Amino acid sequence: MASSPTHTSSPRSRRSRLKRGSVALAGAAALVGGLLAPSAAVADQTFVSDADTSANVTHVANVPKTEAMSDFNSDLAFTGDHAIGGNYNGFVIYDISSPEDPQVVSEVLCPGGQGDVSVSGDLLYFSVDYARASDECGAPSVPTSDPNGFEGIRIFDISDKENPQYVAAVRTDCGSHTNTLVPGKDGEHEYVYVSSYSPSVNFPNCRPPHDKISIIEVPLDDPASAQVIEAPVLFPDGGNTNTSGCHDITVYPEHDIAAGACMGDGILMDISDPTAPVVTDVVRDTNFAFWHSATFTNDGATVLFTDELGGGGGAVCTEAIGPERGANAIYTIDGFKGKKKDLELEFEGYYKIPRLQSTTENCVAHNGSLIPVPGQDFFVQSWYQGGVSVIDFNNPAKPKEIGYFDRAPINEDRLVLGGSWSAYYYNGYVYSSDITRGLDVIKLTEPRLRPAERVGMDEFNPQSQPEYRPGRR
């Protein structure tokens, strides 16, 4: 069992580090090397929010980060009464059976950067985006120029939430910046789409062109044998000037469609065969600097893309930047009711938070999810230090904010990276992963959103969208 490393690196921007590396299958690793006991909670301490909120938003809880998870918090996934929070140092499992009093169940110290997470039953998929000397938890970091360095996907068994086990590691070209779970149609396999980017001639395992994704096949009866089975090229003729792979992909399995946010391009895909996605349309926008993520409406007829102008570290929610950059772009899908190969994206409008932020607050469109009101289009979204925004985009040409959660700057005098990385609605509450301040829980009391409380989920990966109905579980 590998020992856990001492964390000495300082926080850094997700796009400012030296990238990438490694390809091929790694054998199943030993048990987790960095399982930590949950920190003791402070008994009978009354929670007091430090956020400014609209009247229909209440900040009900915060779980601060621990010393072990001192690096950046990243994405979230949900299973049953648990939330799983990614961190550049590993991941945390929270008990959210009492949403207004969440508790840390376990922490796994297994550094590798990014820490994007997806959950499927007892399996957790974890993105490793900084090269390590081996696939073991606790292996030291190595330069991306090291041909033997490991990056890719780590697979954990989380059936025992108090004692997760390390099952396998799968190397992928350029590592894994994000990952997306895709259910298999045979009930015996599932797939993980791995997105990564920033190739270089100096990186032996991540050389340009890198216009592809990696597809990992996971046999559900033997996840330790997971391996890369395909690496489809999404841009055979080359993408936009700054496209070299994708940042993130959202799939909607119920409709066999996917939307890719691919740096310089937004794409729509037919995933009827999940091992062979087919690009049906590509769009570009001169106002978009970095196509970052995507979300479909529940009917699958509209998709919302985000632009991460400034790479997440910039203060772009200012009057000088304006309302159409670092924003969301909303597209309807022309031909959605027809054949998948005929689908095309049609621009409708932009959305950006109307609350201007200071020049010391990194703020830009980031991760969010639908609020599951049947027949309606509402969205909750993180904006780093711009906080969390609740959005009505029933008219995609004129989206508007109907609620918000917003803290004061982390530092009034200089720009410091922080704020809400992801904000997702799950079973009646919004959970926000704050980069530096921990897990926030938010309650929405907006009357228009109450029908969402009747929509129950047993599992939720925001980049693998479920179709929802009232009372469904």
Side-chain angles (χ1 to χ4, degrees):
M1 178 156 47
S3 60
S4 300
T6 302
H7 178 70
T8 58
S9 59
S10 60
R12 65 280 194 201
S13 170
R14 291 174 298 116
R15 293 176 61 203
S16 66
R17 78 270 196 251
L18 186 67
K19 293 189 158 198
R20 273 316 203 220
S22 283
V23 58
L25 173 69
L31 301 183
V32 171
L35 182 64
L36 306 173
S39 302
V42 178
D44 301 323
Q45 188 175 50
T46 302
F47 172 71
V48 178
S49 174
D50 60 353
D52 177 34
T53 67
S54 56
N56 55 0
V57 172
T58 305
H59 186 196
V60 297
N62 171 266
V63 183
K65 296 201 306 182
T66 65
E67 183 178 353
M69 297 296 149
S70 59
D71 214 325
F72 291 171
N73 274 350
S74 57
D75 215 356
L76 294 167
F78 303 87
T79 178
D81 288 333
H82 294 87
I84 300 164
N87 182 282
Y88 279 46
N89 271 354
F91 63 91
V92 183
I93 298 180
Y94 302 93
D95 181 343
I96 55 171
S97 56
S98 297
E100 300 189 16
D101 186 27
Q103 301 292 321
V104 173
V105 176
S106 59
E107 297 177 297
V108 173
L109 184 63
C110 194
Q114 188 67 7
D116 201 39
V117 288
S118 294
V119 63
S120 176
D122 291 335
L123 299 178
L124 174 70
Y125 302 104
F126 181 91
S127 290
V128 178
D129 206 24
Y130 293 160
R132 316 301 293 188
S134 74
D135 59 17
E136 292 183 350
C137 285
S141 61
V142 295
T144 314
S145 55
D146 184 342
N148 298 313
F150 170 77
E151 292 180 283
I153 293 290
R154 289 184 173 127
I155 303 175
F156 294 86
D157 180 338
I158 58 167
S159 53
D160 182 352
K161 302 296 187 295
E162 296 183 358
N163 188 30
Q165 301 292 302
Y166 194 177
V167 173
V170 183
R171 297 173 185 266
T172 60
D173 282 355
C174 298
S176 173
H177 194 70
T178 61
N179 73 80
T180 303
L181 177 70
V182 187
K185 295 180 181 294
D186 62 4
E188 298 178 358
H189 301 82
E190 61 190 14
Y191 303 91
V192 180
Y193 287 0
V194 177
S195 297
S196 53
Y197 57 95
S198 289
S200 168
V201 294
N202 298 317
F203 302 160
N205 301 311
C206 185
R207 289 195 167 120
H210 181 74
D211 293 320
K212 62 185 180 180
I213 61 172
S214 297
I215 300 179
I216 297 172
E217 182 179 67
V218 184
L220 295 178
D221 63 352
D222 183 20
S225 66
Q227 61 181 318
V228 174
I229 59 163
E230 300 287 348
V233 175
L234 303 181
F235 303 96
D237 300 320
N240 202 356
T241 305
N242 63 336
T243 297
S244 57
C246 290
H247 177 274
D248 210 347
I249 293 172
T250 293
V251 299
Y252 196 169
E254 192 78 18
H255 294 289
D256 285 334
I257 55 176
C262 302
M263 306 174 69
D265 299 274
I267 65 174
L268 195 63
M269 291 183 283
D270 175 0
I271 59 167
S272 299
D273 179 352
T275 68
V278 176
V279 176
T280 64
D281 197 20
V282 178
V283 291
R284 296 172 181 172
D285 186 334
T286 56
N287 284 323
F288 260 45
F290 190 87
W291 295 74
H292 176 275
S293 53
T295 303
F296 291 100
T297 51
N298 190 52
D299 63 7
T302 303
V303 60
L304 182 154
F305 288 99
T306 68
D307 172 25
E308 194 184 41
L309 173 66
V316 303
C317 297
T318 62
E319 186 174 6
I321 297 296
E324 296 181 348
R325 299 172 61 213
N328 300 330
I330 302 171
Y331 289 78
T332 50
I333 303 176
D334 187 41
F336 177 70
K337 299 301 182 182
K339 297 180 180 179
K340 298 287 191 299
K341 65 182 178 62
D342 296 328
L343 298 182
E344 295 181 351
L345 294 164
E346 183 173 335
F347 176 77
E348 297 290 345
Y350 293 110
Y351 172 82
K352 191 171 182 180
I353 57 172
R355 295 164 288 105
L356 296 178
Q357 304 292 304
S358 73
T359 56
T360 66
E361 293 174 285
N362 61 303
C363 174
V364 72
H366 216 237
N367 293 347
S369 73
L370 295 180
I371 300 171
V373 177
Q376 300 288 306
D377 297 329
F378 296 101
F379 191 61
V380 62
Q381 183 178 16
S382 63
W383 290 78
Y384 288 111
Q385 286 197 69
V388 175
S389 182
V390 183
I391 305 160
D392 175 347
F393 69 114
N394 284 286
N395 180 349
K398 294 183 178 180
K400 58 184 178 181
E401 183 170 78
I402 61 171
Y404 66 86
F405 163 94
D406 192 358
R407 285 187 168 105
I410 295 172
N411 190 309
E412 298 279 0
D413 300 319
R414 62 186 179 90
L415 182 60
V416 176
L417 185 63
S420 178
W421 177 295
S422 302
Y424 300 132
Y425 185 97
Y426 181 70
N427 292 347
Y429 289 81
V430 172
Y431 296 86
S432 169
S433 176
D434 190 288
I435 293 171
T436 60
R437 292 160 168 152
L439 179 73
D440 289 304
V441 186
I442 298 165
K443 181 68 174 175
L444 306 179
T445 55
E446 167 60 45
R448 286 172 287 181
L449 306 180
R450 284 178 186 156
E453 297 176 8
R454 299 196 297 271
V455 177
M457 299 182 188
D458 290 326
E459 188 173 279
F460 183 44
N461 296 293
Q463 288 74 43
S464 184
Q465 282 191 228
E467 185 180 60
Y468 56 77
R469 305 181 189 96
R472 178 179 179 179
R473 277 194 177 275

